[in-house]
Amino acid sequence: MALDASLAHKLLSSHDVENEVTLLETLKSRLLPSRSASQDVSSEDFEKQWLALASQQLGGENPFPNHSLVVFFSSEEELGQFTLYVFHRRYGWSEVGSAVNVTAPQTKFKISLNELLDEYIKWYFCQELSLPLLRALKDTVLSASKKPVVRKQTLVHCMEWFKQQCHSGLSGNYFPLIKDIVLIGLTDVWSAIRCATCARLPYFICAISLGELEQCFCDLVAVCNDATATWQSTEGCVMGINVIVRRFQWVDNVYSVSAANSVAADKTFPEFLKQRIGSVIFPLLSHAQLSVREQATKAFSSFLSRCEFSEAFKSFKNIVGQLCYGTGVSQEQINNDIPCDEQPHLSVLKPGFRFLDAYAAEGLLGVCVFLIKHIPPVFLLPSWPLYISTFSLYLMHSASTVRQAASNLFKYLVAKESNNPVHLKTVLQGLCTEWEPSQEFLEQTPGDGTANLSLVARRSVDQLTKASSAGLTLSDTWEWREGRLLAYELILKFLVKNHWLYTFGHVGVTHQLTESCSTIEEGGNRLRSPTESPVQKSKSYGRVGAKLDPYGNSLQQSYPLSGSSHARGRAASVDFFNTSQVGLMKHRSLKSLSRNNSVKSTPNHRQRNVSSSRTTSLLQLTKQFESTADKGTCAADYISLYKVEERQVVSVPRWMANFDLLDMSYILKQILHQAIECLGDPRWELRRMGHQLLPSVAEVIRLYDMSILQELWSLHLTKSPKLLCYGACLTLKHSVSHAAKLLPFIADTTQTSLQDVDLFRKSGHVIFTSIASGIHLWTDNLHLAVSRRACDKLSLVSIETMMLIHCHFCKYIDNFKKREQEETIFGFMQHVFVHAHPDSALSQSLSGLDENFTSSSEDFLSLTFRPETSSKTLALTVEKHFLSDVCYVLPSFLKTCSVRNSICVLPVLTHLTGNHSTGQQERKVLYDSIVVIVSMVGSCLGSGCQGLETIRQNCNITLKELAHLISSTDVDLSMLAQVLDVYLLLVMHSSSSRHLVLVLEAVCVRAAEALDMRATPGGQDRSQGDLVILSNDIPVMTPLPGLQNSSSESEDADADKDMESLLLNVSGNSGSAGKLSDEDNGSDWDSCSDDGDQSVLLSILNSFLVKLQRCQPDNFGTALVELDGYRRGVIQRLQENGATTFKPDV
């Protein structure tokens, strides 16, 4: 049956949705079986025929099984027009600026239209492959060049259709058109389309022959090599190449990929891939677009993982050779030893040296990371100095992204040998030995004549040449140092995570018991469960990818912990390394090599032997190794610790015979001093990395040997503001915070989520007791540092550390000294406040504490490196850092303080709470601190403690500050309710009516605008309209405990009930809460919201007045009389109308 030639054209040209529905329903009636044709058969036979016909169609869901699209439409033009209409009309609704939008009266027909179009699209999905239909779909995709949604949906349906047709094959005459459609999807400008096409590409690849697969590969290569192609097209084609490569799997020592007419199987990788993929991918590793470089790295990694090991190792050497660009190291030298003075990283000192392009370096290093994960470490040992020198060259690259990529490579050099302490020490020793921290710099003190050391501009690596670097070395450049700090950070975080996941299981991470890994996840990877490797997922040789225990450690046999005669004998008996031994693995892929070297079983982690070296963290293994190895041990003595292949003979490399291992303690001390030295560096990059690295260094040392930190604190935690003192203070702060996290788990005897409870408590107990043993001495030294009255970084860190110690180690401090330290801390806070707010009334009352403000702006302890001349500006900077960095511990600290000391800062905290520059989070912490002090004041006055006069005096000052806070529109409604509660608690202890006058005036300021009673002649109010609650975006406020008087609960019932009804109907935070405005912006919604906020405000104030009058009835009446007529009218209106006007309508 042929279709009317004008129907498709009518559908395309129609602008009436109702007419389109009519035409499509007419077409549907023609496609369905006619009743007349079925009159000659019974209903049962007709149903059987229908089911039999439908079962022959794909999926059994063909809506029109009696008709084929190609047959039904008499010409390809009609088929193309109808195809264009169906997909454009169905998915064109979502296009931005689409002209297919319908008018309001026609909206009801849109659902019917979509349902009909879905049936026709399902009809397309059930068709057999045909050239006319493929051409129609291709033209539909091409015609949607400006309609991405239509284009995506059409391509997705095409790819799903090809997937359904795989059973009959996609080869032959259909292949060219299918290939064109696939290529259109892969080269689309929209990433969603490229990804959707690529995700469905494997089904297409498996359904074509090897020759057709080669044609696809060649087309993709042509796009990649086209200099005029867009980066989107290049990225999509590289993704397609990656899919093609990944279809080849190593099965039973042969490569195989399913094909339509055959199964390709050979012991070698397909030649068309081996010959061309390198020439295509290598240039793309240096592409300017990051996503192209990433996809190229993935594709090349997929290729290398499926190559023979010899091919992969050859590629690794080739990449190293490219990384040696400009260094003078030839490809031949890479296979042999080169002189020490010709190492690649020393080429930076040569005049005219230029680094490899940043994009190219980043791409090559990405492939290197993959290969490092898989190549057995024993194959890297012969040319280890060359490799380390080459990678070190890129640790000082002028581009920061390249330095980060190189540091990631060093992490995997350590991670792949996660049970070999010799390998760990070799990597760390190679990184740290060339950097000797300057003792003069570490011992410098501001003002002693050496402080100018921190102001000497550090040279950049680009400026370092033989002609201009007299007396300087590579380690004097800031890029060189930052690169090593980046590598240290990743390696140390790996060590911490390896130790915690092994020793304590997942609880060490899920409860954030680590200081260095609790908030920052290395390498951008998610935190893994104990059943996953903490390194990566790949199945690599040896430790990375070999069978791992639940904590990421390779399950290898125990190694000798000393240079035994067995180890020395084996090292002496083996032949020199022969690269021909790679031939042993000629017919083995890199992945199969990894799998074959894996241990086949993993023991139950709850039944393991903790003392066994095969299940011990790398840090613990290193500690055991250090306790048994001879001093000055040569690395060659432990060549047996490196796992080798069966029949592989390993020699002792020449460099290893002359490489003496340093003590791990010495290495950690070096790294610690290097990190501290960077804290005072003039380059902000090094200062940032120093602060970022120090927590990780301190944690590794705590887990390895606490005596290193104890020595640092005992020798350098002094009153003298040296750089070492500053670093010691920071490490003590991190250590105290870490111990505080461990303490609840150590004390909890019912803890069952720990991997090994006894080992956990033992390790945590060592950390806790090591800190507690000297905490009294170190706290005294911190006290001296704060007593300098120099408001700098050292003062703030000392205060923060002292607060933490008082919170968690209070019982180890003498009570008298504790009170002295409290006074010093609170005196510091008052001192900063007076100079930061010299014009405030509170500062005038504290003028007796005024002293010269000292805060250096020129040395490493300065909080700002901008030249500041005003003491007010400097004080404001100190105050800002105190609120952002130290204030978080203030509420907990105040709970341990005496009320006589803490009451002195209550007015200061209240003033800062209302400061417009105080952030929302800091304001909440300050309010919590105020609540702590106010609660202590109530209990103190009730018990008649000493110093009552001082307490009352500060309470009176605080009441004034609270009144000012109440009148401030910077305070939102939720905070206002809490401030009013605090005021009620404090005012109960005051007998003066003057405070009530101030607070009533403040209430008038906040209520006048809401009541529309601005001051006018005669004090007349201009509006008597009722207020209605129209907003529900104010957070629920919880009144303070102890606020209400038990004897008057019944009298408060109605007022509290009204208040509760208001609070239960509000939630969230309003951006305009507490800020009332009668500005009309023309929005009814905004007007309702403002009215609702005002109603909530009035209800809060009314509830406050009711409680205030009940609390101080005599003083309230006296204060009300002292108000002028206007303010008295505002208060009276709040009181009179509170029970009716402000109730929300139900």
Side-chain angles (χ1 to χ4, degrees):
M1 180 186 297
L3 181 67
D4 182 8
S6 62
L7 180 58
H9 177 72
K10 290 179 181 178
L11 289 171
L12 283 173
S13 60
S14 176
H15 296 287
D16 185 1
V17 179
E18 184 177 2
N19 183 45
E20 292 179 58
V21 172
T22 302
L23 291 173
L24 290 175
E25 286 180 342
T26 302
L27 176 60
K28 180 180 178 180
S29 63
R30 296 176 60 184
L31 292 171
L32 292 174
S34 61
R35 293 183 177 274
S36 59
S38 59
Q39 289 178 351
D40 297 336
V41 297
S42 64
S43 59
E44 183 177 356
D45 293 336
F46 176 75
E47 182 177 0
K48 290 181 180 180
Q49 293 178 9
W50 175 269
L51 293 175
L53 183 61
S55 64
Q56 297 175 5
Q57 307 297 326
L58 290 176
E61 298 179 355
N62 192 343
F64 313 117
N66 284 340
H67 300 280
S68 168
L69 269 167
V70 178
V71 175
F72 187 79
F73 289 93
S74 57
S75 67
E76 284 194 31
E77 180 181 0
E78 286 293 318
L79 176 61
Q81 288 183 347
F82 185 74
T83 304
L84 179 69
Y85 166 78
V86 168
F87 284 95
H88 279 243
R89 190 54 164 156
R90 176 60 183 88
Y91 301 111
W93 309 101
S94 303
E95 299 293 349
V96 177
S98 175
V100 298
N101 293 327
V102 296
T103 59
Q106 296 177 327
T107 303
K108 60 181 180 180
F109 296 104
K110 181 179 179 181
I111 296 177
S112 300
L113 178 62
N114 284 341
E115 290 176 349
L116 287 168
L117 291 172
D118 286 337
E119 287 193 70
Y120 290 114
I121 290 176
K122 188 182 296 184
W123 187 28
Y124 275 87
F125 194 74
C126 296
Q127 302 301 304
E128 295 289 342
L129 286 175
S130 64
L131 294 178
L133 187 53
L134 286 171
R135 283 191 285 266
L137 290 171
K138 178 182 176 181
D139 293 340
T140 300
V141 174
L142 293 175
S143 66
S145 59
K146 296 183 179 180
K147 295 182 178 181
V149 178
V150 173
R151 201 165 63 247
K152 177 186 175 182
Q153 293 296 332
T154 307
L155 282 168
V156 168
H157 279 82
C158 288
M159 296 301 294
E160 290 293 334
W161 183 42
F162 299 157
K163 177 182 174 180
Q164 290 291 340
Q165 297 292 331
C166 285
H167 69 284
S168 57
L170 305 178
S171 301
N173 295 332
Y174 306 130
F175 170 74
L177 282 172
I178 295 177
K179 183 189 65 175
D180 290 344
I181 294 175
V182 170
L183 195 61
I184 292 173
L186 288 177
T187 57
D188 196 273
V189 69
W190 190 15
S191 62
I193 296 178
R194 297 195 301 272
C195 293
T197 305
C198 190
R200 295 163 176 81
L201 192 57
Y203 302 99
F204 165 67
I205 292 174
C206 292
I208 60 178
S209 65
L210 199 59
E212 292 169 335
L213 183 62
E214 183 176 356
Q215 293 182 39
C216 289
F217 177 78
C218 292
D219 288 349
L220 296 175
V221 168
V223 176
C224 293
N225 290 335
D226 186 1
T228 62
T230 63
W231 70 263
Q232 292 95 337
S233 299
T234 304
E235 181 196 56
C237 289
V238 175
M239 293 168 63
I241 291 175
N242 187 26
V243 173
I244 291 176
V245 171
R246 292 175 67 89
R247 297 315 297 165
F248 290 89
Q249 302 295 333
W250 183 267
V251 181
D252 296 330
N253 292 332
V254 296
Y255 289 104
S256 66
V257 59
S258 299
N261 303 316
S262 64
V263 174
D266 198 352
K267 289 191 175 183
T268 60
F269 208 62
E271 286 299 321
F272 71 88
L273 286 173
K274 292 176 61 176
Q275 291 177 357
R276 301 192 62 181
I277 193 168
S279 61
V280 175
I281 298 299
F282 265 114
L284 297 179
L285 292 174
S286 58
H287 197 278
Q289 186 68 29
L290 174 62
S291 59
V292 175
R293 297 198 302 273
E294 291 176 342
Q295 294 299 333
T297 301
K298 291 180 182 178
F300 199 56
S301 299
S302 299
F303 168 72
L304 292 175
S305 67
R306 287 157 177 79
C307 288
E308 295 86 353
F309 177 78
S310 57
E311 183 72 22
F313 192 57
K314 180 182 177 181
S315 298
F316 174 73
K317 289 189 174 184
N318 185 26
I319 292 174
V320 172
Q322 295 192 45
L323 290 172
C324 290
Y325 166 82
T327 64
V329 178
S330 63
Q331 194 70 37
E332 292 75 16
Q333 289 178 301
I334 293 177
N335 298 322
N336 305 297
D337 291 339
I338 61 176
C340 295
D341 58 349
E342 296 182 10
Q343 295 290 342
H345 73 280
L346 297 178
S347 301
V348 178
L349 299 172
K350 298 178 181 179
F353 173 81
R354 296 185 63 183
F355 282 105
L356 184 66
D357 176 72
Y359 296 147
E362 192 176 348
L364 292 172
L365 289 171
V367 178
C368 261
V369 167
F370 172 81
L371 289 169
I372 288 294
K373 293 178 184 179
H374 291 80
I375 295 177
V378 71
F379 285 94
L380 302 178
L381 292 181
S383 300
W384 181 265
L386 171 67
Y387 299 147
I388 294 299
S389 175
T390 303
F391 302 150
S392 297
L393 174 66
Y394 289 90
L395 275 182
M396 56 176 148
H397 197 280
S398 54
S400 62
T401 54
V402 177
R403 296 196 294 274
Q404 294 174 34
S407 65
N408 196 41
L409 194 148
F410 278 90
K411 181 189 78 170
Y412 285 111
L413 282 174
V414 171
K416 72 181 286 84
E417 281 287 300
S418 62
N419 67 346
N420 191 337
V422 172
H423 191 72
L424 168 66
K425 293 173 65 175
T426 300
V427 175
L428 288 179
Q429 187 171 327
L431 287 171
C432 74
T433 50
E434 295 183 33
W435 178 359
E436 188 64 34
S438 171
Q439 289 301 316
E440 182 184 9
F441 187 78
L442 292 172
E443 295 285 347
Q444 69 166 304
T445 302
D448 67 353
T450 62
N452 59 348
L453 290 174
S454 62
L455 301 179
V456 178
R458 189 168 294 282
R459 192 180 297 270
S460 172
V461 71
D462 291 333
Q463 303 169 345
L464 194 62
T465 63
K466 282 188 175 181
S468 61
S469 60
L472 296 177
T473 61
L474 288 175
S475 61
D476 292 319
T477 61
W478 71 267
E479 294 96 338
W480 188 93
R481 296 194 172 198
E482 190 199 34
R484 271 154 175 73
L485 296 177
L486 290 167
Y488 289 154
E489 184 185 22
L490 294 181
I491 293 172
L492 295 179
K493 283 186 175 181
F494 164 75
L495 292 177
V496 170
K497 190 172 296 184
N498 172 271
H499 181 83
W500 281 89
L501 287 175
Y502 158 73
T503 308
F504 311 127
H506 68 281
V507 70
V509 176
T510 56
H511 292 277
Q512 296 189 351
L513 298 183
T514 68
E515 280 293 289
S516 60
C517 299
S518 58
T519 58
I520 302 176
E521 169 61 18
E522 60 194 83
N525 298 327
R526 63 179 177 85
L527 290 177
R528 297 180 172 86
S529 67
T531 58
E532 294 180 80
S533 166
V535 184
Q536 72 282 323
K537 297 182 293 184
S538 64
K539 298 179 179 180
S540 63
Y541 180 89
R543 316 307 181 262
V544 178
K547 203 68 173 182
L548 304 173
D549 69 2
Y551 307 100
N553 300 296
S554 179
L555 301 177
Q556 307 299 333
Q557 296 297 323
S558 303
Y559 58 83
L561 292 179
S562 63
S564 62
S565 58
H566 172 75
R568 295 178 186 271
R570 177 177 178 181
S573 63
V574 293
D575 298 332
F576 286 107
F577 186 89
N578 187 350
T579 54
S580 64
Q581 300 211 28
V582 177
L584 292 173
M585 308 167 195
K586 181 177 181 181
H587 298 303
R588 297 179 61 186
S589 72
L590 203 58
K591 279 194 172 182
S592 68
L593 177 65
S594 301
R595 289 193 294 268
N596 292 341
N597 280 274
S598 302
V599 180
K600 299 302 181 184
S601 61
T602 302
N604 189 321
H605 63 272
R606 294 193 177 275
Q607 300 177 356
R608 70 189 188 338
N609 181 2
V610 176
S611 63
S612 173
S613 63
R614 60 187 286 178
T615 54
T616 304
S617 70
L618 183 52
L619 273 178
Q620 289 290 350
L621 288 175
T622 307
K623 196 170 184 178
Q624 295 175 23
F625 178 86
E626 291 283 302
S627 64
T628 56
D630 299 330
K631 298 297 181 182
T633 300
C634 179
D637 295 338
Y638 296 93
I639 189 69
S640 60
L641 298 186
Y642 289 89
K643 185 181 177 184
V644 298
E645 272 289 300
E646 183 181 357
R647 295 183 298 152
Q648 182 184 359
V649 180
V650 181
S651 65
V652 178
R654 185 182 307 172
W655 70 268
M656 214 172 186
N658 301 318
F659 188 80
D660 292 332
L661 296 171
L662 298 174
D663 291 340
M664 188 65 175
S665 297
Y666 175 82
I667 294 175
L668 292 177
K669 285 181 183 178
Q670 281 287 97
I671 297 175
L672 177 62
H673 286 175
Q674 290 167 2
I676 294 176
E677 185 180 27
C678 290
L679 298 177
D681 199 273
R683 294 291 307 198
W684 68 268
E685 295 93 343
L686 295 184
R687 294 197 304 273
R688 177 200 61 192
M689 282 305 305
H691 282 283
Q692 193 169 313
L693 173 64
L694 200 58
S696 299
V697 181
E699 182 159 12
V700 170
I701 294 176
R702 285 195 298 272
L703 298 175
Y704 184 78
D705 185 4
M706 275 294 297
S707 64
I708 299 175
L709 289 176
Q710 288 177 312
E711 179 184 2
L712 175 70
W713 299 331
S714 299
L715 293 179
H716 302 291
L717 200 59
T718 62
K719 180 180 180 180
S720 178
K722 301 179 298 184
L723 187 55
L724 275 173
C725 178
Y726 179 49
C729 191
L730 285 172
T731 56
L732 179 59
K733 181 193 75 171
H734 295 308
S735 299
V736 171
S737 178
H738 189 194
K741 291 180 180 180
L742 295 178
L743 185 59
F745 292 88
I746 297 173
D748 187 4
T749 58
T750 62
Q751 181 61 251
T752 58
S753 59
L754 297 172
Q755 177 64 23
D756 192 313
V757 177
D758 294 335
L759 185 58
F760 178 90
R761 289 180 183 150
K762 181 180 178 181
S763 301
H765 183 71
V766 169
I767 296 174
F768 190 86
T769 54
S770 298
I771 296 175
S773 62
I775 202 69
H776 61 285
L777 175 63
W778 302 325
T779 309
D780 290 343
N781 292 334
L782 292 172
H783 185 205
L784 294 175
V786 179
S787 300
R788 297 176 300 120
R789 286 295 187 184
C791 303
D792 50 24
K793 292 180 181 179
L794 180 59
S795 301
L796 291 181
V797 175
S798 299
I799 289 175
E800 182 182 1
T801 308
M802 289 172 63
M803 287 182 174
L804 289 170
I805 291 173
H806 283 219
C807 292
H808 306 293
F809 293 86
C810 186
K811 65 180 181 179
Y812 299 99
I813 308 173
D814 179 74
N815 190 58
F816 176 76
K817 290 185 177 181
K818 183 179 184 302
R819 299 310 174 200
E820 282 187 338
Q821 293 162 11
E822 292 174 5
E823 293 176 1
T824 302
I825 293 174
F826 295 140
F828 179 91
M829 296 170 61
Q830 290 178 318
H831 176 66
V832 173
F833 178 83
V834 167
H835 289 275
H837 309 276
D839 300 328
S840 68
L842 178 57
S843 295
Q844 301 299 325
S845 64
L846 297 175
S847 58
L849 300 173
D850 192 14
E851 300 176 8
N852 293 331
F853 190 82
T854 304
S855 180
S856 175
S857 61
E858 298 180 352
D859 55 66
F860 61 89
L861 293 179
S862 172
L863 291 166
T864 174
F865 279 84
R866 294 175 296 179
E868 304 286 1
T869 56
S870 170
S871 62
K872 177 181 178 180
T873 305
L874 290 172
L876 285 171
T877 302
V878 175
E879 182 181 89
K880 175 184 176 182
H881 282 273
F882 178 86
L883 292 176
S884 61
D885 301 337
V886 183
C887 198
Y888 73 95
V889 75
L890 191 57
S892 301
F893 168 68
L894 289 170
K895 293 178 183 179
T896 68
C897 299
S898 66
V899 67
R900 291 181 58 188
N901 290 333
S902 60
I903 192 65
C904 298
V905 293
L906 181 58
V908 173
L909 299 179
T910 306
H911 185 96
L912 292 177
T913 303
N915 196 338
H916 65 87
S917 61
T918 304
Q920 192 67 26
Q921 187 63 32
E922 288 84 3
R923 186 169 289 172
K924 181 180 183 304
V925 174
L926 290 172
Y927 172 77
D928 293 340
S929 303
I930 293 171
V931 171
V932 171
I933 300 176
V934 170
S935 302
M936 294 168 61
V937 168
S939 59
C940 179
L941 293 177
S943 60
C945 64
Q946 297 180 352
L948 293 181
E949 185 61 30
T950 302
I951 294 175
R952 288 196 174 93
Q953 180 182 358
N954 282 280
C955 286
N956 292 335
I957 299 175
T958 304
L959 288 172
K960 295 179 182 179
E961 293 295 330
L962 286 172
H964 175 74
L965 200 59
I966 293 169
S967 65
S968 173
T969 56
D970 289 331
V971 180
D972 60 25
L973 297 187
S974 62
M975 179 62 71
L976 175 63
Q978 296 170 336
V979 170
L980 293 174
D981 287 346
V982 172
Y983 188 93
L984 290 172
L985 284 176
L986 270 183
V987 80
M988 289 190 298
H989 307 296
S990 175
S991 57
S992 172
S993 62
R994 180 56 189 162
H995 300 302
L996 270 64
V997 174
L998 295 176
V999 76
L1000 291 178
E1001 291 177 347
V1003 168
C1004 290
V1005 172
R1006 291 298 295 264
E1009 188 173 358
L1011 289 171
D1012 200 15
M1013 290 180 60
R1014 296 170 183 80
T1016 57
Q1020 299 293 326
D1021 57 358
R1022 297 177 295 179
S1023 174
Q1024 299 294 333
D1026 291 343
L1027 300 174
V1028 181
I1029 298 294
L1030 294 176
S1031 174
N1032 65 341
D1033 58 354
I1034 307 301
V1036 176
M1037 297 159 286
T1038 305
L1040 292 174
L1043 178 62
Q1044 297 180 355
N1045 192 329
S1046 59
S1047 62
S1048 58
E1049 289 182 357
S1050 59
E1051 301 176 9
D1052 293 345
D1054 294 338
D1056 289 341
K1057 184 176 180 181
D1058 294 340
M1059 186 64 184
E1060 181 182 5
S1061 67
L1062 291 172
L1063 298 180
L1064 290 177
N1065 281 277
V1066 298
S1067 62
N1069 288 317
S1070 174
S1072 60
K1075 300 179 182 179
L1076 306 180
S1077 172
D1078 58 342
E1079 179 181 356
D1080 185 7
N1081 57 9
S1083 171
D1084 294 337
W1085 175 262
D1086 291 343
S1087 176
C1088 292
S1089 178
D1090 290 342
D1091 292 343
D1093 289 346
Q1094 293 172 357
S1095 299
V1096 174
L1097 170 64
L1098 295 175
S1099 298
I1100 292 173
L1101 296 177
N1102 171 261
S1103 177
F1104 169 71
L1105 291 177
V1106 171
K1107 296 176 182 178
L1108 181 63
Q1109 186 175 16
R1110 188 177 301 114
C1111 176
Q1112 300 250 342
D1114 297 333
N1115 290 337
F1116 186 86
T1118 304
L1120 193 60
V1121 172
E1122 294 183 18
L1123 297 177
D1124 58 31
Y1126 163 70
R1127 292 185 175 86
R1128 195 161 47 248
V1130 174
I1131 298 299
Q1132 288 175 351
R1133 182 173 175 188
L1134 277 171
Q1135 291 180 305
E1136 292 171 359
N1137 299 339
T1140 56
T1141 305
F1142 313 130
K1143 287 184 179 180
D1145 292 340
V1146 180

